[in-house]
Amino acid sequence: MKSVALHNLGCKVNSYEMDVMQQILQENGYKIVPFDEFADIYIINTCTVTNMADRKSRQMLHRAKKQNPNGIVVATGCYVQTGKEAVCLDDAIDLAIGNNRKKDLVPILEQFIKEREALAAENEKLLPDREEAAKRKTLNATTVIDINHTNEYERMFLKETAEHTRAYIKIQDGCNQFCTYCIIPYARGRVRSRSQEDILQEIRDLQRKGYKEVVLTGIHLSSYGVDFGKEPLLLPLIKKIHEIDGIERIRLGSLEPRIITEEFAKELSTMDKICPHFHLSLQSGCDATLKRMNRRYDTKEFKEKVQILRKAFSHPAITTDVITGFPGETEEEFLKTKAFLENIQFFEMHIFPYSKRKGTKAALMENQVPEAVKKERSRVLLELEKKQSEAFRSEYVGKELSVLFEERKEIGGKEYEIGHTKEYVKVAVLAEDKEAVFSNEIRTVLAKSMLTEEMILGDLVK
C-alpha cells in the first residue's frame, strides 16, 4: 500500500476537488498520511490567482520533494494549467496534472509509476533533456489539456468532507468574464456547468450521511447553465435542492451583482432553507476603476442590487471583496471607494491590495500604484471593515437565533459549543455538560453579548 500526502491551496472549488481526489485514492487502496510526514507520493493542488499563489505552490512542491527526494511529487490544478512550461522545468515536480484531469488521478498515477519503474529497470539516465522531461511529467502531453478549448465538465462526486455539518457542492467550472486583473479564465477555461441530476444526486447522498447544510460553489456561480444554451439556471436548481428532505440550509457562494433581480430575490425569500448571506463581488466603489477592471456594472447598479436584497430579507448579511491600489487608482478614486463602502454597510469585506498577475491586461497598465500606498489603503479599509462587522453582529444581541452547531472549542480556559446562524454569524454557548456534544444540531440560542470580536455569546433556549 503506497502512502499519499495531500495539500490544497486556493479556493473552495479546489477544496472540493481535493476532497474528491482523496476519496478516489482511498477507494483504490492508497493510504492517506499527514503532509508533514514521510510519504511515497505527495499531491499538491495548486493555485495561481496571484503571483504569490504561484510562489506558495512552488514552495509546497519543493517542500514535498525535500521531505522525500525519492518520492513522487504531483502538481495538480491551476498553477499547472497556466505555467506548464515552468512546471516541466521544475526538478521538484515529477508529474503534472491540469484541470479537467483530476478525476483521472489514479490511472494517471499508476501509468506514471509503471513507466518510471520501467525506465529504472532499463538504467536510463536520470536527467533527461528538457523535451523528454516534459513528456514524462505529462505522460506525453496527455495530462494537461488545452482548457480553453473544451466543453466537458469534469464529473466528480463528493461522498463526505472534513466538515461534518456543511458540504460544499461544486456546480460549475470556468469563467467568461475576463476581468483585467484575473488569470482564472485561462486556468479554468470557459463556463461549463454540471448536470442538475448529478448535483441533486450528490446532495441526496450527502444528506443521507447527515449533512444538513450545502453551499453551492463554482468559479463563476452566477453563470450556471448558460452553456446549456439557455438563461442562467441557478434559481431553478436552488428550487430543486430546496425540495430535498433533510437538507435544512442552502447557502450560496459568490454571486455577480447582475444576477440579483426583484424576481430572483423574491423567489429566494419564499424558501425558508435559503441562508440570507450573500457575497456580492464589488472590487471597487469607483466607477472609473470598475471600468478599467472590466467589471460589468457600476456603483449605482451594485447599490440597487443590495437594496433589492434588503427589501426581500429582513436583515441579510452582505459581504464583498475589494481590491485596493488597482493600476491608475488615484487618491480621489480610493476615497470614492471608501465612501461607497461606508454607504453600503457590509457585514464583512475581504480587502486585498492589488497584486500584479503576469498574463493579465492589468499587469501591463500604466500608473501602477506603489506597494506602500496599496498597503496603507488596505489598512484604512480593514479598519472600516472591522467597525462595520462589529456593528452588524451587535444588532443580534438580545435576539433569539437559529444556530447550526459544528464544533466544541476552548476559549479562555472554558469549553464552548460553536456554530453559525443562517447569516453566517458565529455563535458560542458554554458547554456545561462535558458529554452532551450537539454538533450538527440546529438549536435556538438567545444572544447575550459579544464573546470575542467575531463571536456572539448566548444561552440555549430550553
Side-chain angles (χ1 to χ4, degrees):
M1 180 185 293
K2 291 188 179 295
S3 59
V4 183
L6 304 143
H7 185 80
N8 186 68
L9 294 160
C11 64
K12 294 298 184 184
V13 170
N14 257 19
S15 296
Y16 172 95
E17 292 170 347
M18 179 59 94
D19 284 343
V20 175
M21 285 191 284
Q22 179 171 324
Q23 288 172 186
I24 292 171
L25 289 163
Q26 289 173 314
E27 289 168 353
N28 283 273
Y30 290 83
K31 178 185 177 182
I32 306 300
V33 300
F35 189 78
D36 58 359
E37 289 188 8
F38 183 91
D40 299 310
I41 302 164
Y42 293 87
I43 299 174
I44 294 87
N45 198 24
T46 63
C47 178
T48 193
V49 69
T50 63
N51 289 337
M52 180 59 73
D54 278 358
R55 189 180 309 162
K56 287 181 179 178
S57 296
R58 289 191 294 270
Q59 287 173 345
M60 295 310 298
L61 290 159
H62 283 257
R63 178 178 160 187
K65 180 55 74 174
K66 187 175 181 180
Q67 287 177 192
N68 181 5
N70 295 318
I72 298 171
V73 175
V74 184
T76 66
C78 294
Y79 172 60
V80 175
Q81 201 65 53
T82 59
K84 182 180 174 183
E85 291 183 7
V87 166
C88 287
L89 295 176
D90 193 331
D91 292 337
I93 301 169
D94 298 297
L95 175 61
I97 302 175
N99 289 325
N100 259 42
R101 292 302 314 271
K102 296 176 185 178
K103 69 180 188 303
D104 304 315
L105 172 63
V106 167
I108 288 173
L109 192 55
E110 292 179 351
Q111 183 182 343
F112 177 83
I113 292 170
K114 183 178 179 180
E115 292 185 6
R116 192 187 204 203
E117 291 174 346
L119 290 171
E122 295 172 8
N123 294 318
E124 184 165 310
K125 61 182 179 179
L126 297 177
L127 296 175
D129 61 36
R130 288 183 175 182
E131 185 176 346
E132 183 62 27
K135 287 181 179 179
R136 291 186 188 179
K137 289 181 184 183
T138 61
L139 296 183
N140 204 24
T142 62
T143 64
V144 184
I145 68 168
D146 183 352
I147 200 69
N148 293 297
H149 291 87
T150 181
N151 296 319
E152 178 194 0
Y153 178 84
E154 184 175 26
R155 294 187 77 201
M156 303 177 94
F157 284 85
L158 183 66
K159 296 179 181 178
E160 59 184 323
T161 71
E163 294 188 56
H164 300 293
T165 60
R166 179 182 300 111
Y168 288 85
I169 309 297
K170 180 186 171 187
I171 69 167
Q172 69 85 225
D173 208 336
C175 181
N176 298 344
Q177 299 299 295
F178 290 93
C179 299
T180 57
Y181 54 82
C182 187
I183 198 69
I184 296 305
Y186 304 98
R188 287 281 179 173
R190 302 296 77 75
V191 169
R192 304 180 304 286
S193 301
R194 187 179 184 183
S195 75
Q196 187 180 96
E197 293 75 16
D198 280 2
I199 296 168
L200 296 176
Q201 185 59 54
E202 181 173 87
I203 294 174
R204 291 189 192 102
D205 291 345
L206 288 165
Q207 183 279 320
R208 282 191 282 268
K209 292 193 174 181
Y211 292 87
K212 293 183 177 178
E213 180 178 313
V214 293
V215 186
L216 305 187
T217 189
I219 298 300
H220 194 256
L221 191 66
S222 301
S223 294
Y224 176 74
V226 297
D227 52 318
F228 295 153
K230 302 176 182 179
E231 292 297 313
L233 296 175
L234 184 58
L235 186 58
L237 173 65
I238 294 169
K239 289 179 179 179
K240 290 286 188 181
I241 296 171
H242 195 267
E243 296 172 1
I244 298 176
D245 291 336
I247 294 297
E248 300 190 39
R249 290 185 174 185
I250 303 168
R251 199 177 296 278
L252 305 179
S254 181
L255 298 173
E256 283 292 313
R258 286 199 165 180
I259 199 173
I260 306 298
T261 62
E262 295 276 1
E263 179 188 3
F264 184 83
K266 184 179 179 180
E267 290 280 358
L268 290 183
S269 69
T270 65
M271 293 181 264
D272 59 4
K273 296 179 182 181
I274 291 293
C275 293
H277 170 213
F278 302 100
H279 187 87
L280 302 185
S281 299
L282 173 62
Q283 308 304 356
S284 175
C286 172
D287 291 339
T289 308
L290 288 172
K291 189 173 182 179
R292 291 198 301 278
M293 290 178 168
N294 195 35
R295 300 296 288 175
R296 305 187 184 189
Y297 52 82
D298 57 20
T299 53
K300 179 183 177 183
E301 182 179 359
F302 188 96
K303 184 176 181 179
E304 288 172 351
K305 303 306 185 181
V306 172
Q307 290 171 336
I308 288 172
L309 289 171
R310 287 178 172 158
K311 179 181 176 183
F313 296 89
S314 61
H315 191 240
I318 298 174
T319 61
T320 199
D321 301 318
V322 180
I323 297 173
T324 62
F326 188 76
E329 184 185 66
T330 63
E331 185 66 17
E332 180 184 3
E333 289 181 344
F334 170 70
L335 291 175
K336 284 184 179 180
T337 289
K338 182 172 180 285
F340 186 74
L341 300 177
E342 289 171 333
N343 181 262
I344 295 295
Q345 292 290 310
F346 292 95
F347 164 39
E348 289 181 334
M349 296 185 289
H350 302 144
I351 310 298
F352 304 95
Y354 168 72
S355 175
K356 185 187 291 187
R357 182 62 178 82
K358 183 180 179 181
T360 64
K361 289 184 178 181
L364 303 176
M365 289 181 177
E366 297 180 351
N367 301 315
Q368 297 283 330
V369 177
E371 291 300 320
V373 175
K374 289 189 283 188
K375 185 176 180 180
E376 174 59 18
R377 290 176 182 174
S378 293
R379 184 194 66 77
V380 170
L381 295 190
L382 284 168
E383 285 188 2
L384 176 61
E385 192 277 340
K386 183 179 178 181
K387 291 178 182 177
Q388 291 188 357
S389 190
E390 287 177 355
F392 185 89
R393 289 184 176 91
S394 67
E395 291 188 43
Y396 288 101
V397 174
K399 298 179 180 179
E400 290 190 355
L401 311 174
S402 176
V403 179
L404 173 59
F405 285 94
E406 299 150 30
E407 62 176 342
R408 179 174 282 194
K409 188 176 181 181
E410 182 180 313
I411 303 172
K414 295 181 179 180
E415 293 281 324
Y416 292 90
E417 297 281 0
I418 298 172
H420 288 86
T421 68
K422 282 188 172 184
E423 295 81 8
Y424 212 63
V425 173
K426 189 174 284 189
V427 177
V429 299
L430 193 62
E432 297 177 351
D433 187 338
K434 297 295 183 184
E435 303 301 322
V437 177
F438 40 92
S439 176
N440 205 29
E441 293 184 20
I442 296 177
R443 307 284 288 268
T444 301
V445 175
L446 176 62
K448 297 192 304 181
S449 62
M450 298 303 299
L451 179 62
T452 68
E453 288 183 353
E454 299 180 348
M455 195 180 311
I456 292 174
L457 175 65
D459 287 333
L460 287 177
V461 176
K462 304 298 183 183

